[in-house]
């Protein structure tokens, strides 16, 4: 059974950086799109960034120029490098993998941005 395991969340001051990772445990093939969503308290889940197998990326306007998504296909892992963090970036971040018509989700990792 495939599970996505996230790591890297935590508390950071405004202007700081964090790197999130999401790795698949178990056997998984032909991962298409990988990406990250986030959800802040009282708000809807928001798409943050996606990356396709060839490496095409897409970002929410709110994070463009500050966040970078990348993937390691050999390791079935997706990363989200977050820089210049703002208090409004605070949320639970969820990774997902789209594989042959099915979506796998990570368990979520908390990112808190506060001084």
């Amino acid at each position: 059974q495939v599970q996505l395991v996230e790591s890297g969340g935590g508390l950071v001051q405004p202007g700081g950086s964090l790197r999130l990772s999401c790795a698949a445990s178990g056997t998984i093939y032909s991962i298409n799109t990988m990406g990250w969503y986030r959800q802040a308290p009282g708000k809807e889940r928001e798409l943050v960034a996606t990356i396709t197998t060839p490496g095409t990326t897409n970002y929410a306007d709110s994070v463009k120029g500050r966040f970078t998504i990348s993937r390691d296909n050999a390791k079935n892992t997706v990363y989200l490098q977050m820089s210049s963090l703002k208090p409004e970036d605070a949320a639970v971040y969820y990774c997902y993998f789209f594989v042959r018509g099915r979506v796998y989700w990570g368990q979520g990792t908390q990112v808190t941005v506060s001084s």
Side-chain angles (χ1 to χ4, degrees), residues 33-96:
T33 301
M34 298 177 173
W36 295 89
Y37 276 79
R38 67 185 181 186
Q39 188 166 21
K43 295 187 177 181
E44 293 186 354
R45 190 171 289 196
E46 172 190 24
L47 180 62
V48 177
T50 62
I51 184 167
T52 65
T53 302
T56 302
T57 59
N58 185 49
Y59 297 93
D61 288 343
S62 58
V63 306
K64 281 181 181 177
R66 301 187 298 119
F67 290 13
T68 302
I69 188 171
S70 61
R71 63 190 282 171
D72 185 332
N73 293 325
K75 295 181 179 180
N76 288 336
T77 300
V78 63
Y79 305 95
L80 186 67
Q81 177 68 48
M82 305 184 293
S83 302
S84 302
L85 283 160
K86 304 175 181 179
E88 51 263 42
D89 293 318
V92 178
Y93 283 71
Y94 299 90
C95 64
Y96 78 92

Side-chain angles (χ1 to χ4, degrees), residues 9-33:
L11 172 64
V12 64
Q13 293 185 345
S17 298
L18 281 176
R19 188 193 194 206
L20 306 183
S21 299
C22 173
S25 64
T27 302
I28 187 169
Y29 300 103
S30 302
I31 301 171
N32 189 345
T33 301

